[in-house]
Amino acid sequence: MMNVDAESLLVKDFNARGAAAASATKHYGEALLDAARRDPRIVCLTADLTLPTETDLFRDALPDRFLQVGIAEANMIGIAGGMARSGDIPFAHSFCVFATRRCYDQIAMQIAYPNLNAKIVGVIPGLSTLLGVSHQAIDDIALMRALPNMTVIEPSGPGQVRKAVAAIANHPGPVYLRMKRADGTEQDLPSLDDRFEIGKARVLREGKDGLLLGCGMMVPVILEAADILAESGLSVTVVDVSTIKPLDPGIVELAARAPVVVTAENHSVIGGLGSAVAELLMEAGVARPFARVGVQDVFAEGGTTPFLFDRYGLSAKAVVAAFRRKHGAAVG
């Protein structure tokens, strides 16, 4: 049971985050509104989470194309399917865990199976929430990438979020877009542009001693890990895998040149990015010392993101430790 002091600190942190989120730049909300102004077929649905999903911008600017369905994700997906069949392009929003697990059958049968042009947008991925197991989406990538016809995307920064929205608005078919909630801490990666193309990974840094692949919130983490490794003379290639399905086949060539491969994701190590990369490499006949950094088949708990990332092995030091174990085996 949580003690009173710890609970008080969590409440203060939660309130501070809420205030920060309220003043944060709404990169997703602005990009969706821009896309909707260009294409009158785009409509917006949300399940009682207008502010966290940044869809208040759409609501205020285009109220005739905005639907607030309440706490009813399964119904929202059914509505989205019907609207897509009628020629609209629905963007349906909720927290990641509610947008996927709570209405998985509806997504499968009413969006993925008929291959409809509908977009499912989730915020608060993985362990990026104080609210504990009920709100932590550690299996959503596994669920969504298992569905035929479904494209799965997780941008790594604000610039990519904006580019991803434009790309999926023009992509004919079901898409799951997984994003960190805006809280004022977002920043694009230094000295890099924000290129984005569905199905293409982005090489951020090149090195000869190994390959680090990450998605979403883990991309800054693997860049930090690469800096730590560089201090001891190890240079690694760092790749931002913003499209998890379809996975960029170019990853095979990168892995073939690397003595060690490590993936990192804010998700269970089962069924997510690490699993997708392992499947790709094994089917291509590329066998390398390999490690998956992520949530290790456990449920987590409530806490701040830095605390949870450290406790459950999603930190830069965890990536470095995993790399060193495999690198030692490769050169030993």
Side-chain angles (χ1 to χ4, degrees):
M1 180 178 295
M2 186 180 298
N3 64 49
V4 174
D5 288 340
E7 184 174 4
S8 176
L9 288 172
L10 282 178
V11 169
K12 289 180 180 179
D13 186 82
F14 184 81
N15 291 336
R17 286 185 176 210
S23 61
T25 300
K26 298 180 178 181
H27 297 280
Y28 171 77
E30 291 176 359
L32 179 61
L33 185 55
D34 287 344
R37 284 172 168 154
R38 290 191 300 268
D39 191 336
R41 297 174 298 167
I42 292 176
V43 294
C44 177
L45 301 87
T46 185
D48 201 41
L49 290 169
T50 306
L51 292 177
T53 58
E54 305 178 25
T55 51
D56 54 312
L57 301 184
F58 196 113
R59 175 200 63 196
D60 296 344
L62 301 171
D64 293 342
R65 291 156 62 186
F66 175 84
L67 290 177
Q68 168 60 271
V69 306
I71 305 175
E73 284 82 2
N75 189 41
M76 177 175 67
I77 294 301
I79 294 170
M83 298 181 83
R85 287 182 182 274
S86 301
D88 292 325
I89 304 176
F91 280 65
H93 303 79
S94 188
F95 290 155
C96 291
V97 68
F98 303 148
T100 56
R101 189 195 304 161
R102 178 171 287 179
C103 49
Y104 191 62
D105 185 59
Q106 284 75 20
I107 293 171
M109 300 311 299
Q110 298 182 43
I111 301 292
Y113 173 57
N115 197 21
L116 296 179
N117 193 16
K119 321 304 175 185
I120 299 165
V121 182
V123 299
I124 308 186
L127 303 186
S128 61
T129 174
L130 293 164
L131 298 176
V133 171
S134 65
H135 285 61
Q136 289 166 348
I138 61 170
D139 53 13
D140 55 323
I141 293 175
L143 290 170
M144 300 303 273
R145 66 181 283 262
L147 290 174
N149 299 322
M150 185 66 69
T151 294
V152 180
I153 293 170
E154 184 172 15
S156 60
Q160 272 207 335
V161 166
R162 291 177 181 270
K163 293 289 182 66
V165 172
I168 69 174
N170 292 317
H171 176 78
V175 176
Y176 174 52
L177 179 64
R178 181 188 208 243
M179 299 183 305
K180 176 182 181 291
R181 180 180 179 181
D183 60 8
T185 65
E186 297 78 22
Q187 56 183 355
D188 280 318
L189 304 177
S191 303
L192 299 168
D193 62 43
D194 51 10
R195 298 188 311 274
F196 179 85
E197 182 180 347
I198 294 175
K200 294 295 183 181
R202 183 171 62 147
V203 177
L204 307 181
R205 187 177 302 180
E206 295 189 16
K208 62 181 177 58
D209 295 310
L211 175 62
L212 303 181
L213 302 121
C215 56
M217 294 176 68
M218 295 302 288
V219 174
V221 173
I222 61 174
L223 281 168
E224 182 183 350
D227 289 338
I228 296 171
L229 291 168
E231 292 173 359
S232 58
L234 294 170
S235 66
V236 294
T237 296
V238 178
V239 179
D240 175 3
V241 188
S242 53
T243 305
I244 301 163
K245 182 187 176 186
L247 200 60
D248 187 347
I251 290 171
V252 172
E253 183 180 347
L254 293 172
R257 300 199 302 261
V260 176
V261 178
V262 177
T263 63
E265 58 198 305
N266 177 26
H267 182 273
S268 170
V269 294
I270 298 172
L273 174 65
S275 295
V277 170
E279 292 159 8
L280 178 70
L281 298 187
M282 290 303 294
E283 289 180 351
V286 177
R288 292 291 183 273
F290 183 85
R292 295 171 296 168
V293 172
V295 182
Q296 299 292 320
D297 197 24
V298 296
F299 288 109
E301 60 196 270
T304 65
T305 300
F307 169 79
L308 293 173
F309 271 34
D310 184 66
R311 183 175 179 85
Y312 292 96
L314 278 68
S315 64
K317 69 179 182 181
V319 174
V320 169
F323 181 89
R324 290 191 185 281
R325 285 195 301 270
K326 296 300 178 178
H327 186 264
V331 299

